[in-house]
Amino acid sequence: MENARYTFPEGFLWGGAEAANQCEGAWNEGGKGMTVQDCLPYRNVGVADYTKQFAYSTADLEAALKAGPEDNYPKRHGTDFYHHYKEDIALMAEMGYKVFRTSICWSRIFTDPRDEKPNEEGIAFYEDVFKECKAHGIEPLVTLSHYDPPLALVTDFNGWASREVIDLFIKYARVCFERFGKYVKYWLTFNEVDAMLRHSVTSGALIPDRFPGQNFDQIVYQAMHHQMVASALAVKLGHELCPGAMIGCMMTRLCFYAYTCKPEDNLATQQRMRGIYRYVDIQVFGEYPRYLLKEIERKGLHIKMQPEDARILKEGTVDFVSFSYYMTSCMAAQTDGLEMSPGNTVNGVKNPYLTSSEWGWQTDPIGLRISLVELYDRFRKPLFIVENGLGARDTLTEDGKVHDPYRIEYLKEHVKAMSDAINIDGVDLIGYTWWGCIDLISESTRQMSKRYGFVYVDLDDEGRGTYKRYRKDSFYYYKKLIAANGNVDAVDE
Ligand code: BG6
């Protein structure tokens, strides 16, 4: 098509994303040690309050350690990618993926993070996964830590608040770079690095009640400092061990609009938006931003930093910025009487101009363009959208089909916004991986019924099902879209 309205650069990385903890399963196979995720029960807490979804106590952990096969711990089985990876990667190849984002489970590589030697069975599994990708011409994009810290960090350390965890993490990262570097060019250190402030157990291996009488903010900000140092050390090590590697950071791209043009609402919005950059600024610029230092001071916190930390942060800056983007909401200085709306681990004021998913997340493709422009203007680094998608309830028909026009619509509108950001706004966007490309277990609700995939997996919230895979209508749409290198109009013709 000549003069196509929606175009993408040659070599644009189209693909999909998953995370070990949400798809792999096989929680007690292959020499894998226990992770925090193995201990999170299914909880049908509704959609309105993410704080309930992530609330976790020592009593919950004790119950998990006693749980049997009759208890519902969805991450233990995931969607059984561990045994289905060849089939899943073949489905991705059929769609024409150029890239597949997944994560490595630290506890598969070191059964116990203190072990001296890695678990060869775990290494062999990931080697097979990456070889399978390469055999299909798919570039793996690998996250070292996606919300599944080894359980020992909770029970035998103070989670990431312990400085020793940095060394354990670097030992693990070294094995990953040394053993998988020949297959993997694109790496991310920590998924949604800002998330520990919202859900401490999955990001920081921190359960609040294990720190009685202590200021939990102090614990979290200290743990965040350790993750920053670990991330910077990993970036430097990755560059040394894998020449040519591209190592990025990963942030939750939350986007708030001012609810009105009142200066107070705009100030509140600006403050909130600044908050989302707190830690990514360190990973990109190699130092604490002054507003974060002020915040730490205001809160009366004292972050212990070693003299070498400043140099480490400077030497370990990232090559690109990746992020998740799902929804937007609004911010007001006074929210009394305003209707609120849940989003990706945040609550915001409902935007009357947007529609919402069943889980309340407000769909906003223009917000993606706004985000791309803002991120590029701030960082001047290549951008990579490593998560975007729509969680919806799908119906499998008797003849094995899933008709999901809502997902196709969401995809199409977001791809248009990306194209505009590239072609009109001059943003350097290098790739796009749709989240949960094969259905997986939801992170916040641990439901199976909140589905993102182009491929339906026969499994319900109680863990019943055959794990059989079915292509949805969106599967065929994405395949055509990739073949047309994102030219939405050509696909619709
Ligand atoms: C991102 C996480 O924040 O959102 C993913 O990195 C998660 O792990 C995704 O699955 C969607 O959230 P949810 O709660 O619908 O699974």
Side-chain angles (χ1 to χ4, degrees):
M1 182 186 268
E2 284 193 17
N3 298 322
R5 166 84 167 80
Y6 301 109
T7 61
F8 285 80
E10 206 48 44
F12 188 80
L13 292 165
W14 296 101
E18 308 218 336
N21 81 83
Q22 290 167 267
C23 69
E24 239 170 53
W27 69 292
N28 54 5
E29 288 180 53
K32 175 183 161 295
M34 268 187 108
T35 70
V36 163
Q37 290 285 352
D38 298 329
C39 301
L40 302 183
Y42 174 64
R43 260 190 209 146
N44 198 352
V45 293
V47 298
D49 188 353
Y50 81 93
T51 54
K52 285 206 190 91
Q53 291 157 354
F54 285 102
Y56 199 72
S57 67
T58 298
D60 293 322
L61 175 57
E62 283 163 3
L65 294 176
K66 288 191 209 125
E70 66 287 1
D71 297 305
N72 193 355
Y73 285 81
K75 302 296 185 65
R76 294 185 182 187
H77 53 72
T79 48
D80 200 26
F81 178 81
Y82 191 78
H83 297 108
H84 287 77
Y85 69 92
K86 285 196 183 193
E87 181 187 352
D88 287 353
I89 293 168
L91 285 162
M92 296 174 199
E94 192 182 325
M95 277 184 271
Y97 282 21
K98 317 283 180 229
V99 61
F100 169 44
R101 175 185 179 219
T102 189
S103 65
I104 296 175
C105 173
W106 181 349
S107 301
R108 265 192 208 291
I109 303 298
F110 283 95
T111 309
D112 183 307
R114 289 158 292 199
D115 289 347
E116 276 188 21
K117 289 211 159 63
N119 167 34
E120 289 298 329
E121 215 178 329
I123 292 178
F125 168 67
Y126 290 110
E127 253 176 358
D128 280 354
V129 168
F130 302 143
K131 277 189 199 157
E132 197 67 20
C133 289
K134 293 298 236 188
H136 286 289
I138 297 174
E139 200 68 62
L141 161 60
V142 173
T143 315
L144 288 171
S145 177
H146 191 128
Y147 293 156
D148 58 354
L151 187 60
L153 300 192
V154 175
T155 53
D156 299 13
F157 295 83
N158 281 330
W160 273 94
S162 301
R163 194 165 173 110
E164 304 120 274
V165 173
I166 299 176
D167 291 343
L168 300 178
F169 180 79
I170 293 304
K171 181 177 61 169
Y172 155 66
R174 175 179 288 280
V175 172
C176 294
F177 292 134
E178 282 177 348
R179 303 294 291 272
F180 309 133
K182 51 180 167 298
Y183 313 109
V184 180
K185 175 177 176 192
Y186 296 95
W187 299 87
L188 303 174
T189 54
F190 292 90
N191 183 61
E192 299 191 330
V193 72
D194 44 285
M196 206 194 297
L197 303 149
R198 301 189 298 278
H199 40 99
S200 61
V201 67
T202 46
S203 298
L206 300 167
I207 300 178
D209 69 26
R210 295 179 77 89
F211 302 91
Q214 295 184 56
N215 176 354
F216 193 58
D217 267 354
Q218 169 69 41
I219 305 295
V220 171
Y221 281 71
Q222 183 65 58
M224 277 309 306
H225 177 69
H226 294 151
Q227 263 188 16
M228 287 297 104
V229 172
S231 175
L233 286 169
V235 171
K236 188 166 179 235
L237 183 67
H239 284 147
E240 283 162 14
L241 297 176
C242 311
M246 291 279 287
I247 311 180
C249 56
M250 197 303 197
M251 70 179 289
T252 322
R253 170 59 201 196
L254 299 168
C255 184
F256 293 93
Y257 302 133
Y259 186 63
T260 72
C261 53
K262 255 196 281 174
E264 288 83 353
D265 285 351
N266 279 274
L267 178 63
T269 308
Q270 186 186 52
Q271 297 288 333
R272 188 71 207 265
M273 288 304 290
R274 226 177 176 195
I276 71 166
Y277 291 118
R278 272 177 287 203
Y279 287 97
V280 188
D281 274 351
I282 299 178
Q283 294 180 303
V284 175
F285 300 116
E287 62 187 20
Y288 272 66
R290 288 167 66 93
Y291 66 89
L292 177 53
L293 292 173
K294 285 283 173 206
E295 178 186 330
I296 289 169
E297 194 182 307
R298 236 180 4 259
K299 287 181 179 244
L301 310 178
H302 300 282
I303 309 301
K304 280 194 218 113
M305 300 189 191
Q306 299 301 322
E308 66 274 23
D309 289 358
R311 175 184 50 79
I312 292 171
L313 296 180
K314 262 284 175 260
E315 289 176 356
T317 55
V318 292
D319 303 317
F320 67 99
V321 174
S322 80
F323 64 96
S324 60
Y325 174 88
Y326 293 92
M327 37 65 57
T328 62
S329 50
C330 297
M331 199 58 207
Q334 281 302 329
T335 54
D336 296 352
L338 296 176
E339 192 180 346
M340 302 300 283
S341 167
N344 188 8
T345 66
V346 287
N347 294 322
V349 178
K350 195 169 166 56
N351 186 334
Y353 300 102
L354 299 177
T355 57
S356 302
S357 77
E358 193 183 321
W359 281 263
W361 297 21
Q362 298 176 101
T363 299
D364 184 6
I366 292 176
L368 177 58
R369 179 169 167 195
I370 293 169
S371 299
L372 284 163
V373 170
E374 207 176 284
L375 288 166
Y376 191 61
D377 285 356
R378 187 180 189 104
F379 296 126
R380 294 294 160 102
K381 296 259 181 202
L383 302 180
F384 204 136
I385 300 169
V386 294
E387 288 187 30
N388 174 238
L390 177 70
R393 225 174 268 280
D394 292 327
T395 308
L396 182 67
T397 61
E398 277 182 11
D399 57 349
K401 305 243 176 348
V402 175
H403 303 303
D404 56 346
Y406 35 89
R407 192 168 287 110
I408 293 172
E409 187 60 20
Y410 182 103
L411 170 64
K412 192 195 296 184
E413 293 309 312
H414 284 77
V415 167
K416 286 183 187 173
M418 283 152 50
S419 169
D420 284 348
I422 295 171
N423 298 312
I424 302 172
D425 306 320
V427 168
D428 180 10
L429 177 65
I430 58 175
Y432 176 77
T433 55
W434 176 268
W435 176 248
C437 53
I438 313 254
D439 286 345
L440 39 63
I441 311 283
S442 155
E443 187 61 49
S444 56
T445 67
R446 280 159 242 151
Q447 285 169 302
M448 190 60 213
S449 48
K450 188 182 188 191
R451 295 172 183 273
Y452 285 87
F454 300 130
V455 173
Y456 183 95
V457 178
D458 175 30
L459 192 67
D460 68 13
D461 288 344
E462 271 70 44
R464 293 172 304 215
T466 60
Y467 292 87
K468 193 167 175 315
R469 274 71 170 147
Y470 297 87
R471 294 167 185 77
K472 303 183 192 176
D473 288 354
S474 54
F475 177 100
Y476 301 102
Y477 182 85
Y478 196 39
K479 181 178 174 168
K480 283 196 242 162
L481 188 76
I482 295 176
N485 196 22
N487 182 349
V488 172
D489 292 333
V491 178
D492 284 347
E493 263 177 2

